Amino acid sequence: MDNNNLEQITFGGGCFWCVESCFNMLKGVQSAISGYSGGHKDHPTYEEVCTGETGHAEVVQITYDPAIISYEQLMDVFFFLHDPTQLNRQGNDIGTQYRSVIYYKDDDEKTKAEEAIKTSQESGRWPGKYVTELSRFEKFWPAEQYHQGYYNVNPNQPYCSAVVGPKIQKFKKHFGELGMLNDSE
């Protein structure tokens, strides 16, 4: 991986435990870090974000090498991992902190995000109108350390075994068949 040409993308697709675990398995992804963006409070805590009062979304910030994995491929994974037609929720996780959101850094990235939304919606993968929010990136606050790699450390935690685990298995099957996973996966 060429550390001089790494790029970042930040987006939210529900609970960050699933999203982060999956992105960390992809070839070309240097890191996927759980955190918070889009709110009005500096240094928010998980407990504060869970109230829905800080305005933050649970997000993952991905650092990747575009020579190995493209922005478009990352967007395809993003739309695979969550239902972009559900407003302010993913399954039983309800609240604005679980919204579908892409944070863009410039007009070029905004245009690419708009195109990715259109492409995914036209694919018919998810029936219904997409509600994915597009917002200018302002700040990323890393989540508390115990959230990083949460599923890997807690696979038997009830939420992880019921929700995260099955999603990861579906992800591994699909993207493994496409040859997009690290060799260790």
Side-chain angles (χ1 to χ4, degrees), residues 124-173:
R125 178 182 286 162
W126 298 101
K129 181 169 174 35
Y130 281 32
V131 294
T132 302
E133 174 187 311
L134 282 176
S135 294
R136 181 170 290 282
F137 177 83
E138 291 181 18
K139 182 72 179 165
F140 171 78
W141 303 99
E144 295 81 353
Q145 189 57 43
Y146 73 91
H147 288 294
Q148 310 306 328
Y150 189 87
Y151 175 78
N152 294 338
V153 176
N154 302 284
N156 297 320
Q157 188 262 12
Y159 182 86
C160 287
S161 61
V163 177
V164 183
K167 187 178 282 197
I168 288 174
Q169 291 311 310
K170 182 179 168 186
F171 163 83
K172 286 172 85 170
K173 180 178 182 335

mmCIF file of all heavy atoms in Angstrom, residues 124-173:
data_model
loop_
_atom_site.group_PDB
_atom_site.id
_atom_site.type_symbol
_atom_site.label_atom_id
_atom_site.label_comp_id
_atom_site.label_asym_id
_atom_site.label_seq_id
_atom_site.Cartn_x
_atom_site.Cartn_y
_atom_site.Cartn_z
ATOM 1 N N GLY A 124 -31.651 -1.678 -7.989
ATOM 2 C CA GLY A 124 -32.775 -2.398 -7.408
ATOM 3 C C GLY A 124 -32.397 -3.245 -6.203
ATOM 4 O O GLY A 124 -33.209 -4.018 -5.707
ATOM 5 N N ARG A 125 -31.179 -3.110 -5.723
ATOM 6 C CA ARG A 125 -30.735 -3.886 -4.552
ATOM 7 C C ARG A 125 -31.668 -3.666 -3.367
ATOM 8 O O ARG A 125 -31.998 -4.589 -2.647
ATOM 9 C CB ARG A 125 -29.309 -3.491 -4.173
ATOM 10 C CG ARG A 125 -28.805 -4.215 -2.929
ATOM 11 C CD ARG A 125 -27.408 -3.776 -2.543
ATOM 12 N NE ARG A 125 -26.436 -4.342 -3.473
ATOM 13 C CZ ARG A 125 -25.197 -3.888 -3.616
ATOM 14 N NH1 ARG A 125 -24.793 -2.849 -2.930
ATOM 15 N NH2 ARG A 125 -24.372 -4.452 -4.457
ATOM 16 N N TRP A 126 -32.069 -2.418 -3.166
ATOM 17 C CA TRP A 126 -32.991 -2.068 -2.094
ATOM 18 C C TRP A 126 -34.236 -1.446 -2.711
ATOM 19 O O TRP A 126 -34.138 -0.414 -3.361
ATOM 20 C CB TRP A 126 -32.349 -1.068 -1.129
ATOM 21 C CG TRP A 126 -31.143 -1.601 -0.440
ATOM 22 C CD1 TRP A 126 -29.841 -1.340 -0.759
ATOM 23 C CD2 TRP A 126 -31.114 -2.481 0.684
ATOM 24 N NE1 TRP A 126 -29.010 -2.001 0.093
ATOM 25 C CE2 TRP A 126 -29.770 -2.707 0.996
ATOM 26 C CE3 TRP A 126 -32.104 -3.100 1.463
ATOM 27 C CZ2 TRP A 126 -29.378 -3.526 2.046
ATOM 28 C CZ3 TRP A 126 -31.706 -3.907 2.506
ATOM 29 C CH2 TRP A 126 -30.361 -4.120 2.789
ATOM 30 N N PRO A 127 -35.401 -2.039 -2.509
ATOM 31 C CA PRO A 127 -36.622 -1.431 -3.054
ATOM 32 C C PRO A 127 -36.994 -0.183 -2.256
ATOM 33 O O PRO A 127 -36.867 -0.166 -1.040
ATOM 34 C CB PRO A 127 -37.675 -2.533 -2.898
ATOM 35 C CG PRO A 127 -37.166 -3.403 -1.802
ATOM 36 C CD PRO A 127 -35.661 -3.310 -1.837
ATOM 37 N N GLY A 128 -37.405 0.838 -2.963
ATOM 38 C CA GLY A 128 -37.798 2.079 -2.307
ATOM 39 C C GLY A 128 -36.826 3.197 -2.602
ATOM 40 O O GLY A 128 -35.787 3.012 -3.222
ATOM 41 N N LYS A 129 -37.187 4.365 -2.128
ATOM 42 C CA LYS A 129 -36.379 5.571 -2.350
ATOM 43 C C LYS A 129 -35.263 5.652 -1.309
ATOM 44 O O LYS A 129 -35.488 5.479 -0.125
ATOM 45 C CB LYS A 129 -37.268 6.808 -2.265
ATOM 46 C CG LYS A 129 -36.514 8.106 -2.498
ATOM 47 C CD LYS A 129 -37.466 9.261 -2.676
ATOM 48 C CE LYS A 129 -36.774 10.603 -2.773
ATOM 49 N NZ LYS A 129 -35.513 10.677 -3.413
ATOM 50 N N TYR A 130 -34.063 5.937 -1.778
ATOM 51 C CA TYR A 130 -32.934 6.101 -0.875
ATOM 52 C C TYR A 130 -33.072 7.411 -0.093
ATOM 53 O O TYR A 130 -33.467 8.434 -0.650
ATOM 54 C CB TYR A 130 -31.617 6.126 -1.661
ATOM 55 C CG TYR A 130 -31.116 4.763 -2.072
ATOM 56 C CD1 TYR A 130 -31.967 3.720 -2.377
ATOM 57 C CD2 TYR A 130 -29.760 4.530 -2.168
ATOM 58 C CE1 TYR A 130 -31.487 2.475 -2.758
ATOM 59 C CE2 TYR A 130 -29.262 3.289 -2.555
ATOM 60 C CZ TYR A 130 -30.131 2.270 -2.847
ATOM 61 O OH TYR A 130 -29.651 1.045 -3.225
ATOM 62 N N VAL A 131 -32.721 7.355 1.188
ATOM 63 C CA VAL A 131 -32.770 8.542 2.046
ATOM 64 C C VAL A 131 -31.368 8.919 2.532
ATOM 65 O O VAL A 131 -31.222 9.693 3.471
ATOM 66 C CB VAL A 131 -33.725 8.332 3.247
ATOM 67 C CG1 VAL A 131 -35.159 8.182 2.767
ATOM 68 C CG2 VAL A 131 -33.298 7.129 4.089
ATOM 69 N N THR A 132 -30.344 8.378 1.885
ATOM 70 C CA THR A 132 -28.964 8.657 2.279
ATOM 71 C C THR A 132 -28.697 10.154 2.208
ATOM 72 O O THR A 132 -28.910 10.787 1.184
ATOM 73 C CB THR A 132 -27.978 7.895 1.371
ATOM 74 O OG1 THR A 132 -28.275 6.499 1.457
ATOM 75 C CG2 THR A 132 -26.541 8.150 1.778
ATOM 76 N N GLU A 133 -28.238 10.687 3.314
ATOM 77 C CA GLU A 133 -27.930 12.112 3.424
ATOM 78 C C GLU A 133 -26.529 12.370 2.883
ATOM 79 O O GLU A 133 -25.621 11.572 3.095
ATOM 80 C CB GLU A 133 -28.010 12.468 4.918
ATOM 81 C CG GLU A 133 -27.610 13.842 5.309
ATOM 82 C CD GLU A 133 -27.577 13.977 6.837
ATOM 83 O OE1 GLU A 133 -28.550 13.576 7.510
ATOM 84 O OE2 GLU A 133 -26.563 14.486 7.353
ATOM 85 N N LEU A 134 -26.369 13.470 2.179
ATOM 86 C CA LEU A 134 -25.047 13.931 1.745
ATOM 87 C C LEU A 134 -24.731 15.199 2.530
ATOM 88 O O LEU A 134 -25.496 16.155 2.487
ATOM 89 C CB LEU A 134 -25.040 14.251 0.257
ATOM 90 C CG LEU A 134 -24.950 13.080 -0.698
ATOM 91 C CD1 LEU A 134 -25.064 13.556 -2.132
ATOM 92 C CD2 LEU A 134 -23.649 12.338 -0.497
ATOM 93 N N SER A 135 -23.627 15.187 3.238
ATOM 94 C CA SER A 135 -23.239 16.345 4.042
ATOM 95 C C SER A 135 -21.757 16.613 3.885
ATOM 96 O O SER A 135 -20.965 15.674 3.753
ATOM 97 C CB SER A 135 -23.532 16.098 5.529
ATOM 98 O OG SER A 135 -24.896 16.000 5.766
ATOM 99 N N ARG A 136 -21.417 17.883 3.931
ATOM 100 C CA ARG A 136 -20.003 18.241 3.857
ATOM 101 C C ARG A 136 -19.311 17.768 5.134
ATOM 102 O O ARG A 136 -19.797 17.963 6.232
ATOM 103 C CB ARG A 136 -19.813 19.744 3.689
ATOM 104 C CG ARG A 136 -18.332 20.139 3.578
ATOM 105 C CD ARG A 136 -18.113 21.568 3.172
ATOM 106 N NE ARG A 136 -18.473 21.841 1.801
ATOM 107 C CZ ARG A 136 -17.732 21.535 0.733
ATOM 108 N NH1 ARG A 136 -16.594 20.898 0.891
ATOM 109 N NH2 ARG A 136 -18.123 21.865 -0.465
ATOM 110 N N PHE A 137 -18.153 17.128 4.949
ATOM 111 C CA PHE A 137 -17.359 16.656 6.080
ATOM 112 C C PHE A 137 -16.814 17.848 6.850
ATOM 113 O O PHE A 137 -16.275 18.784 6.262
ATOM 114 C CB PHE A 137 -16.198 15.786 5.575
ATOM 115 C CG PHE A 137 -15.299 15.313 6.678
ATOM 116 C CD1 PHE A 137 -15.637 14.195 7.407
ATOM 117 C CD2 PHE A 137 -14.134 15.997 6.973
ATOM 118 C CE1 PHE A 137 -14.816 13.754 8.435
ATOM 119 C CE2 PHE A 137 -13.307 15.558 7.997
ATOM 120 C CZ PHE A 137 -13.646 14.436 8.736
ATOM 121 N N GLU A 138 -16.988 17.802 8.168
ATOM 122 C CA GLU A 138 -16.418 18.850 9.008
ATOM 123 C C GLU A 138 -15.423 18.291 10.006
ATOM 124 O O GLU A 138 -14.303 18.755 10.098
ATOM 125 C CB GLU A 138 -17.543 19.611 9.717
ATOM 126 C CG GLU A 138 -18.376 20.437 8.743
ATOM 127 C CD GLU A 138 -19.464 21.220 9.422
ATOM 128 O OE1 GLU A 138 -19.403 21.414 10.654
ATOM 129 O OE2 GLU A 138 -20.391 21.651 8.717
ATOM 130 N N LYS A 139 -15.840 17.272 10.766
ATOM 131 C CA LYS A 139 -14.970 16.749 11.820
ATOM 132 C C LYS A 139 -15.317 15.295 12.098
ATOM 133 O O LYS A 139 -16.471 14.905 12.038
ATOM 134 C CB LYS A 139 -15.161 17.581 13.104
ATOM 135 C CG LYS A 139 -14.294 17.186 14.264
ATOM 136 C CD LYS A 139 -12.862 17.577 14.052
ATOM 137 C CE LYS A 139 -12.040 17.172 15.277
ATOM 138 N NZ LYS A 139 -10.634 17.183 15.068
ATOM 139 N N PHE A 140 -14.310 14.519 12.363
ATOM 140 C CA PHE A 140 -14.475 13.131 12.771
ATOM 141 C C PHE A 140 -13.934 12.989 14.180
ATOM 142 O O PHE A 140 -12.814 13.407 14.469
ATOM 143 C CB PHE A 140 -13.697 12.204 11.821
ATOM 144 C CG PHE A 140 -13.636 10.776 12.285
ATOM 145 C CD1 PHE A 140 -14.733 9.943 12.128
ATOM 146 C CD2 PHE A 140 -12.487 10.266 12.868
ATOM 147 C CE1 PHE A 140 -14.692 8.620 12.556
ATOM 148 C CE2 PHE A 140 -12.431 8.952 13.290
ATOM 149 C CZ PHE A 140 -13.541 8.129 13.140
ATOM 150 N N TRP A 141 -14.748 12.421 15.045
ATOM 151 C CA TRP A 141 -14.333 12.157 16.418
ATOM 152 C C TRP A 141 -14.244 10.637 16.583
ATOM 153 O O TRP A 141 -15.265 9.948 16.491
ATOM 154 C CB TRP A 141 -15.353 12.715 17.413
ATOM 155 C CG TRP A 141 -15.592 14.181 17.265
ATOM 156 C CD1 TRP A 141 -16.630 14.787 16.611
ATOM 157 C CD2 TRP A 141 -14.775 15.224 17.757
ATOM 158 N NE1 TRP A 141 -16.498 16.145 16.671
ATOM 159 C CE2 TRP A 141 -15.360 16.452 17.379
ATOM 160 C CE3 TRP A 141 -13.580 15.258 18.491
ATOM 161 C CZ2 TRP A 141 -14.816 17.682 17.706
ATOM 162 C CZ3 TRP A 141 -13.038 16.489 18.818
ATOM 163 C CH2 TRP A 141 -13.655 17.682 18.428
ATOM 164 N N PRO A 142 -13.048 10.084 16.796
ATOM 165 C CA PRO A 142 -12.960 8.629 16.998
ATOM 166 C C PRO A 142 -13.788 8.206 18.211
ATOM 167 O O PRO A 142 -13.820 8.907 19.223
ATOM 168 C CB PRO A 142 -11.474 8.390 17.254
ATOM 169 C CG PRO A 142 -10.777 9.594 16.697
ATOM 170 C CD PRO A 142 -11.739 10.732 16.859
ATOM 171 N N ALA A 143 -14.452 7.061 18.080
ATOM 172 C CA ALA A 143 -15.202 6.508 19.203
ATOM 173 C C ALA A 143 -14.215 5.996 20.250
ATOM 174 O O ALA A 143 -13.031 5.808 19.978
ATOM 175 C CB ALA A 143 -16.111 5.382 18.721
ATOM 176 N N GLU A 144 -14.733 5.739 21.408
ATOM 177 C CA GLU A 144 -13.942 5.209 22.508
ATOM 178 C C GLU A 144 -13.229 3.932 22.053
ATOM 179 O O GLU A 144 -13.720 3.200 21.203
ATOM 180 C CB GLU A 144 -14.865 4.903 23.697
ATOM 181 C CG GLU A 144 -15.520 6.140 24.306
ATOM 182 C CD GLU A 144 -16.759 6.653 23.561
ATOM 183 O OE1 GLU A 144 -17.103 6.147 22.462
ATOM 184 O OE2 GLU A 144 -17.394 7.574 24.064
ATOM 185 N N GLN A 145 -12.089 3.657 22.647
ATOM 186 C CA GLN A 145 -11.256 2.539 22.223
ATOM 187 C C GLN A 145 -11.999 1.205 22.240
ATOM 188 O O GLN A 145 -11.800 0.372 21.379
ATOM 189 C CB GLN A 145 -9.983 2.465 23.091
ATOM 190 C CG GLN A 145 -8.969 1.466 22.576
ATOM 191 C CD GLN A 145 -8.532 1.717 21.137
ATOM 192 O OE1 GLN A 145 -8.276 2.841 20.734
ATOM 193 N NE2 GLN A 145 -8.461 0.654 20.344
ATOM 194 N N TYR A 146 -12.897 1.012 23.190
ATOM 195 C CA TYR A 146 -13.573 -0.290 23.271
ATOM 196 C C TYR A 146 -14.506 -0.540 22.083
ATOM 197 O O TYR A 146 -14.907 -1.679 21.850
ATOM 198 C CB TYR A 146 -14.319 -0.455 24.600
ATOM 199 C CG TYR A 146 -15.588 0.355 24.761
ATOM 200 C CD1 TYR A 146 -16.827 -0.173 24.395
ATOM 201 C CD2 TYR A 146 -15.550 1.634 25.308
ATOM 202 C CE1 TYR A 146 -17.999 0.556 24.562
ATOM 203 C CE2 TYR A 146 -16.712 2.366 25.472
ATOM 204 C CZ TYR A 146 -17.933 1.824 25.113
ATOM 205 O OH TYR A 146 -19.083 2.560 25.274
ATOM 206 N N HIS A 147 -14.820 0.486 21.296
ATOM 207 C CA HIS A 147 -15.641 0.297 20.089
ATOM 208 C C HIS A 147 -14.810 -0.169 18.890
ATOM 209 O O HIS A 147 -15.343 -0.727 17.942
ATOM 210 C CB HIS A 147 -16.367 1.597 19.710
ATOM 211 C CG HIS A 147 -17.471 1.938 20.626
ATOM 212 N ND1 HIS A 147 -18.607 1.171 20.743
ATOM 213 C CD2 HIS A 147 -17.626 2.969 21.488
ATOM 214 C CE1 HIS A 147 -19.419 1.714 21.627
ATOM 215 N NE2 HIS A 147 -18.836 2.807 22.100
ATOM 216 N N GLN A 148 -13.516 0.083 18.923
ATOM 217 C CA GLN A 148 -12.661 -0.267 17.792
ATOM 218 C C GLN A 148 -12.481 -1.790 17.746
ATOM 219 O O GLN A 148 -12.065 -2.393 18.733
ATOM 220 C CB GLN A 148 -11.312 0.444 17.886
ATOM 221 C CG GLN A 148 -11.396 1.941 18.135
ATOM 222 C CD GLN A 148 -12.269 2.706 17.142
ATOM 223 O OE1 GLN A 148 -12.386 2.347 15.973
ATOM 224 N NE2 GLN A 148 -12.904 3.776 17.617
ATOM 225 N N GLY A 149 -12.828 -2.383 16.622
ATOM 226 C CA GLY A 149 -12.728 -3.835 16.503
ATOM 227 C C GLY A 149 -13.676 -4.567 17.439
ATOM 228 O O GLY A 149 -13.411 -5.704 17.836
ATOM 229 N N TYR A 150 -14.781 -3.937 17.781
ATOM 230 C CA TYR A 150 -15.700 -4.464 18.798
ATOM 231 C C TYR A 150 -16.155 -5.887 18.493
ATOM 232 O O TYR A 150 -16.121 -6.753 19.359
ATOM 233 C CB TYR A 150 -16.914 -3.540 18.954
ATOM 234 C CG TYR A 150 -17.778 -3.919 20.132
ATOM 235 C CD1 TYR A 150 -17.492 -3.410 21.398
ATOM 236 C CD2 TYR A 150 -18.851 -4.792 19.997
ATOM 237 C CE1 TYR A 150 -18.261 -3.764 22.497
ATOM 238 C CE2 TYR A 150 -19.622 -5.149 21.090
ATOM 239 C CZ TYR A 150 -19.327 -4.636 22.342
ATOM 240 O OH TYR A 150 -20.082 -4.995 23.420
ATOM 241 N N TYR A 151 -16.574 -6.135 17.264
ATOM 242 C CA TYR A 151 -17.064 -7.472 16.931
ATOM 243 C C TYR A 151 -15.978 -8.533 17.098
ATOM 244 O O TYR A 151 -16.234 -9.620 17.599
ATOM 245 C CB TYR A 151 -17.619 -7.524 15.502
ATOM 246 C CG TYR A 151 -18.025 -8.929 15.121
ATOM 247 C CD1 TYR A 151 -19.223 -9.471 15.580
ATOM 248 C CD2 TYR A 151 -17.198 -9.730 14.339
ATOM 249 C CE1 TYR A 151 -19.586 -10.778 15.268
ATOM 250 C CE2 TYR A 151 -17.553 -11.030 14.022
ATOM 251 C CZ TYR A 151 -18.743 -11.545 14.490
ATOM 252 O OH TYR A 151 -19.096 -12.828 14.187
ATOM 253 N N ASN A 152 -14.760 -8.217 16.694
ATOM 254 C CA ASN A 152 -13.664 -9.188 16.784
ATOM 255 C C ASN A 152 -13.394 -9.594 18.233
ATOM 256 O O ASN A 152 -13.024 -10.732 18.499
ATOM 257 C CB ASN A 152 -12.387 -8.624 16.165
ATOM 258 C CG ASN A 152 -12.536 -8.413 14.680
ATOM 259 O OD1 ASN A 152 -13.383 -9.020 14.032
ATOM 260 N ND2 ASN A 152 -11.730 -7.522 14.133
ATOM 261 N N VAL A 153 -13.595 -8.677 19.158
ATOM 262 C CA VAL A 153 -13.345 -8.940 20.570
ATOM 263 C C VAL A 153 -14.585 -9.536 21.249
ATOM 264 O O VAL A 153 -14.469 -10.276 22.223
ATOM 265 C CB VAL A 153 -12.911 -7.637 21.286
ATOM 266 C CG1 VAL A 153 -12.726 -7.842 22.780
ATOM 267 C CG2 VAL A 153 -11.640 -7.090 20.664
ATOM 268 N N ASN A 154 -15.781 -9.227 20.734
ATOM 269 C CA ASN A 154 -17.034 -9.612 21.385
ATOM 270 C C ASN A 154 -18.003 -10.353 20.466
ATOM 271 O O ASN A 154 -19.186 -10.020 20.421
ATOM 272 C CB ASN A 154 -17.735 -8.350 21.913
ATOM 273 C CG ASN A 154 -16.883 -7.570 22.871
ATOM 274 O OD1 ASN A 154 -16.718 -7.948 24.010
ATOM 275 N ND2 ASN A 154 -16.313 -6.465 22.390
ATOM 276 N N PRO A 155 -17.568 -11.369 19.727
ATOM 277 C CA PRO A 155 -18.477 -12.015 18.773
ATOM 278 C C PRO A 155 -19.673 -12.699 19.422
ATOM 279 O O PRO A 155 -20.703 -12.900 18.773
ATOM 280 C CB PRO A 155 -17.578 -13.032 18.056
ATOM 281 C CG PRO A 155 -16.496 -13.326 19.045
ATOM 282 C CD PRO A 155 -16.267 -12.020 19.774
ATOM 283 N N ASN A 156 -19.569 -13.040 20.697
ATOM 284 C CA ASN A 156 -20.666 -13.725 21.379
ATOM 285 C C ASN A 156 -21.588 -12.784 22.144
ATOM 286 O O ASN A 156 -22.560 -13.242 22.754
ATOM 287 C CB ASN A 156 -20.108 -14.804 22.321
ATOM 288 C CG ASN A 156 -19.367 -15.872 21.541
ATOM 289 O OD1 ASN A 156 -19.798 -16.280 20.467
ATOM 290 N ND2 ASN A 156 -18.231 -16.308 22.063
ATOM 291 N N GLN A 157 -21.278 -11.493 22.131
ATOM 292 C CA GLN A 157 -22.188 -10.523 22.738
ATOM 293 C C GLN A 157 -23.518 -10.653 21.991
ATOM 294 O O GLN A 157 -23.517 -10.855 20.772
ATOM 295 C CB GLN A 157 -21.562 -9.115 22.601
ATOM 296 C CG GLN A 157 -22.280 -8.030 23.325
ATOM 297 C CD GLN A 157 -23.226 -7.211 22.450
ATOM 298 O OE1 GLN A 157 -23.541 -7.569 21.317
ATOM 299 N NE2 GLN A 157 -23.698 -6.128 23.000
ATOM 300 N N PRO A 158 -24.675 -10.618 22.679
ATOM 301 C CA PRO A 158 -25.956 -10.903 22.012
ATOM 302 C C PRO A 158 -26.214 -10.119 20.725
ATOM 303 O O PRO A 158 -26.629 -10.704 19.721
ATOM 304 C CB PRO A 158 -26.996 -10.585 23.093
ATOM 305 C CG PRO A 158 -26.270 -10.860 24.370
ATOM 306 C CD PRO A 158 -24.847 -10.425 24.120
ATOM 307 N N TYR A 159 -25.974 -8.812 20.708
ATOM 308 C CA TYR A 159 -26.199 -8.021 19.493
ATOM 309 C C TYR A 159 -25.262 -8.487 18.383
ATOM 310 O O TYR A 159 -25.661 -8.616 17.226
ATOM 311 C CB TYR A 159 -25.997 -6.526 19.780
ATOM 312 C CG TYR A 159 -26.260 -5.643 18.583
ATOM 313 C CD1 TYR A 159 -27.542 -5.193 18.286
ATOM 314 C CD2 TYR A 159 -25.221 -5.266 17.724
ATOM 315 C CE1 TYR A 159 -27.789 -4.389 17.194
ATOM 316 C CE2 TYR A 159 -25.457 -4.468 16.624
ATOM 317 C CZ TYR A 159 -26.739 -4.024 16.362
ATOM 318 O OH TYR A 159 -26.992 -3.228 15.268
ATOM 319 N N CYS A 160 -24.024 -8.750 18.746
ATOM 320 C CA CYS A 160 -23.047 -9.186 17.740
ATOM 321 C C CYS A 160 -23.429 -10.533 17.147
ATOM 322 O O CYS A 160 -23.354 -10.727 15.933
ATOM 323 C CB CYS A 160 -21.648 -9.252 18.344
ATOM 324 S SG CYS A 160 -20.914 -7.637 18.652
ATOM 325 N N SER A 161 -23.824 -11.488 17.987
ATOM 326 C CA SER A 161 -24.150 -12.811 17.450
ATOM 327 C C SER A 161 -25.454 -12.803 16.666
ATOM 328 O O SER A 161 -25.591 -13.537 15.694
ATOM 329 C CB SER A 161 -24.184 -13.862 18.563
ATOM 330 O OG SER A 161 -25.168 -13.558 19.519
ATOM 331 N N ALA A 162 -26.398 -11.950 17.044
ATOM 332 C CA ALA A 162 -27.694 -11.920 16.354
ATOM 333 C C ALA A 162 -27.700 -11.042 15.109
ATOM 334 O O ALA A 162 -28.351 -11.366 14.118
ATOM 335 C CB ALA A 162 -28.782 -11.440 17.315
ATOM 336 N N VAL A 163 -26.975 -9.931 15.132
ATOM 337 C CA VAL A 163 -27.052 -8.954 14.041
ATOM 338 C C VAL A 163 -25.737 -8.837 13.267
ATOM 339 O O VAL A 163 -25.720 -8.974 12.047
ATOM 340 C CB VAL A 163 -27.472 -7.560 14.589
ATOM 341 C CG1 VAL A 163 -27.493 -6.522 13.474
ATOM 342 C CG2 VAL A 163 -28.834 -7.640 15.276
ATOM 343 N N VAL A 164 -24.662 -8.568 13.965
ATOM 344 C CA VAL A 164 -23.390 -8.297 13.307
ATOM 345 C C VAL A 164 -22.834 -9.553 12.619
ATOM 346 O O VAL A 164 -22.454 -9.512 11.453
ATOM 347 C CB VAL A 164 -22.351 -7.715 14.292
ATOM 348 C CG1 VAL A 164 -21.050 -7.374 13.560
ATOM 349 C CG2 VAL A 164 -22.896 -6.488 14.998
ATOM 350 N N GLY A 165 -22.811 -10.658 13.320
ATOM 351 C CA GLY A 165 -22.245 -11.896 12.776
ATOM 352 C C GLY A 165 -22.873 -12.323 11.460
ATOM 353 O O GLY A 165 -22.158 -12.560 10.476
ATOM 354 N N PRO A 166 -24.210 -12.436 11.396
ATOM 355 C CA PRO A 166 -24.832 -12.823 10.126
ATOM 356 C C PRO A 166 -24.539 -11.838 8.990
ATOM 357 O O PRO A 166 -24.345 -12.244 7.844
ATOM 358 C CB PRO A 166 -26.331 -12.860 10.459
ATOM 359 C CG PRO A 166 -26.377 -13.136 11.935
ATOM 360 C CD PRO A 166 -25.182 -12.414 12.498
ATOM 361 N N LYS A 167 -24.480 -10.544 9.312
ATOM 362 C CA LYS A 167 -24.179 -9.544 8.282
ATOM 363 C C LYS A 167 -22.752 -9.732 7.767
ATOM 364 O O LYS A 167 -22.495 -9.649 6.561
ATOM 365 C CB LYS A 167 -24.370 -8.128 8.842
ATOM 366 C CG LYS A 167 -24.248 -7.048 7.791
ATOM 367 C CD LYS A 167 -24.483 -5.667 8.357
ATOM 368 C CE LYS A 167 -25.950 -5.427 8.544
ATOM 369 N NZ LYS A 167 -26.300 -4.009 8.700
ATOM 370 N N ILE A 168 -21.828 -10.007 8.666
ATOM 371 C CA ILE A 168 -20.437 -10.219 8.271
ATOM 372 C C ILE A 168 -20.311 -11.475 7.411
ATOM 373 O O ILE A 168 -19.577 -11.484 6.415
ATOM 374 C CB ILE A 168 -19.517 -10.272 9.508
ATOM 375 C CG1 ILE A 168 -19.391 -8.866 10.108
ATOM 376 C CG2 ILE A 168 -18.146 -10.833 9.152
ATOM 377 C CD1 ILE A 168 -18.624 -8.801 11.407
ATOM 378 N N GLN A 169 -21.016 -12.532 7.747
ATOM 379 C CA GLN A 169 -20.953 -13.761 6.952
ATOM 380 C C GLN A 169 -21.467 -13.526 5.531
ATOM 381 O O GLN A 169 -20.874 -13.997 4.556
ATOM 382 C CB GLN A 169 -21.728 -14.892 7.644
ATOM 383 C CG GLN A 169 -21.061 -15.368 8.932
ATOM 384 C CD GLN A 169 -19.572 -15.667 8.769
ATOM 385 O OE1 GLN A 169 -19.157 -16.379 7.867
ATOM 386 N NE2 GLN A 169 -18.762 -15.102 9.661
ATOM 387 N N LYS A 170 -22.570 -12.803 5.418
ATOM 388 C CA LYS A 170 -23.128 -12.469 4.098
ATOM 389 C C LYS A 170 -22.121 -11.627 3.296
ATOM 390 O O LYS A 170 -21.885 -11.868 2.112
ATOM 391 C CB LYS A 170 -24.448 -11.712 4.295
ATOM 392 C CG LYS A 170 -25.154 -11.338 3.024
ATOM 393 C CD LYS A 170 -26.452 -10.606 3.367
ATOM 394 C CE LYS A 170 -27.056 -9.965 2.142
ATOM 395 N NZ LYS A 170 -28.222 -9.138 2.472
ATOM 396 N N PHE A 171 -21.513 -10.652 3.961
ATOM 397 C CA PHE A 171 -20.496 -9.794 3.351
ATOM 398 C C PHE A 171 -19.306 -10.632 2.861
ATOM 399 O O PHE A 171 -18.856 -10.494 1.729
ATOM 400 C CB PHE A 171 -20.040 -8.743 4.375
ATOM 401 C CG PHE A 171 -18.754 -8.066 4.028
ATOM 402 C CD1 PHE A 171 -18.730 -6.993 3.155
ATOM 403 C CD2 PHE A 171 -17.549 -8.504 4.570
ATOM 404 C CE1 PHE A 171 -17.533 -6.369 2.826
ATOM 405 C CE2 PHE A 171 -16.357 -7.889 4.250
ATOM 406 C CZ PHE A 171 -16.345 -6.821 3.378
ATOM 407 N N LYS A 172 -18.797 -11.514 3.733
ATOM 408 C CA LYS A 172 -17.625 -12.321 3.385
ATOM 409 C C LYS A 172 -17.904 -13.226 2.190
ATOM 410 O O LYS A 172 -17.058 -13.393 1.320
ATOM 411 C CB LYS A 172 -17.171 -13.139 4.593
ATOM 412 C CG LYS A 172 -16.479 -12.305 5.663
ATOM 413 C CD LYS A 172 -16.215 -13.084 6.922
ATOM 414 C CE LYS A 172 -14.931 -13.841 6.833
ATOM 415 N NZ LYS A 172 -14.525 -14.431 8.138
ATOM 416 N N LYS A 173 -19.082 -13.788 2.146
ATOM 417 C CA LYS A 173 -19.434 -14.661 1.023
ATOM 418 C C LYS A 173 -19.444 -13.859 -0.281
ATOM 419 O O LYS A 173 -18.798 -14.224 -1.256
ATOM 420 C CB LYS A 173 -20.791 -15.319 1.254
ATOM 421 C CG LYS A 173 -21.202 -16.250 0.116
ATOM 422 C CD LYS A 173 -22.528 -16.917 0.402
ATOM 423 C CE LYS A 173 -22.991 -17.890 -0.640
ATOM 424 N NZ LYS A 173 -22.546 -17.771 -1.976
#
